[in-house]
Amino acid sequence: MNLLRSGYSQELILDAPDWVEYGRTSSDLAREYIQTIAPENASHLHVCSFKGDSTLLELREVTKCVHTVAPGAKTAIVVTSDYHTRRALSVAQQALPEYRWSVAAAPDVQWFGAAWWQHREWAKTTLTEWQKLCWWMIIDKHKAP
């Protein structure tokens, strides 16, 4: 939201899983949240639902929204958890080379922090992300699209 308000973006596409919890999807909750926090920017805020459970599948599904919302877009910014930026950028560049990609980190203090080795959950997040990054760099990145 800060990037949109600062002029770094003309449109903001928030992707939210289409999984149902307690009778509502995250996409529905995201749409309501946007109306609550930024009604003045509502025409530039879009929620895109996805079903995929990987960064690659998520990006492919969100691209459909990008083609609808901003068909002439040439650049895109991935905003993701600060521990996920490197892999997300690499996946985006590989999967969707038609865009010039940038990445921005959004802090996620529940799952990660600077002193990650001092907190059990943060250490598990770090280990999992390194595993996913290694798998991406060694295996998935070299598969045919």
Side-chain angles (χ1 to χ4, degrees):
M1 190 57 147
N2 291 338
L3 295 172
L4 179 68
R5 288 179 175 152
S6 300
Y8 286 97
S9 176
Q10 295 172 1
E11 304 294 331
L12 183 142
I13 298 174
L14 174 65
D15 64 331
D18 216 11
W19 310 318
V20 177
E21 291 185 50
Y22 303 110
R24 313 239 358 243
T25 66
S26 295
S27 298
D28 293 334
L29 294 172
R31 285 182 189 90
E32 287 178 24
Y33 183 69
I34 285 171
Q35 291 300 323
T36 303
I37 65 159
E40 72 282 0
N41 292 30
S43 64
H44 297 284
L45 300 170
H46 314 276
V47 177
C48 182
S49 301
F50 70 92
K51 293 184 185 339
D53 64 349
S54 73
T55 303
L56 181 59
L57 293 175
E58 186 176 343
L59 276 165
R60 286 183 178 158
E61 290 185 44
V62 169
T63 301
K64 296 172 191 171
C65 290
V66 174
H67 289 300
T68 302
V69 170
K74 301 274 188 251
T75 61
I77 303 170
V78 174
V79 180
T80 189
S81 303
D82 50 2
Y83 57 84
H84 182 49
T85 54
R86 180 178 177 179
R87 183 166 57 93
L89 180 61
S90 180
V91 171
Q93 289 170 331
Q94 173 94 8
L96 304 162
E98 64 268 25
Y99 299 104
R100 192 178 77 231
W101 288 96
S102 298
V103 69
D108 187 354
V109 294
Q110 179 181 357
W111 298 109
F112 186 75
W116 58 266
W117 59 92
Q118 295 177 352
H119 302 273
R120 180 180 172 82
E121 289 303 317
W122 296 358
K124 289 188 326 188
T125 297
T126 301
L127 177 61
T128 300
E129 186 56 30
W130 274 102
Q131 287 175 317
K132 291 177 178 181
L133 177 63
C134 289
W135 188 266
W136 166 252
M137 297 300 280
I138 296 167
I139 308 294
D140 285 342
K141 187 174 183 177
H142 305 288
K143 289 182 179 177

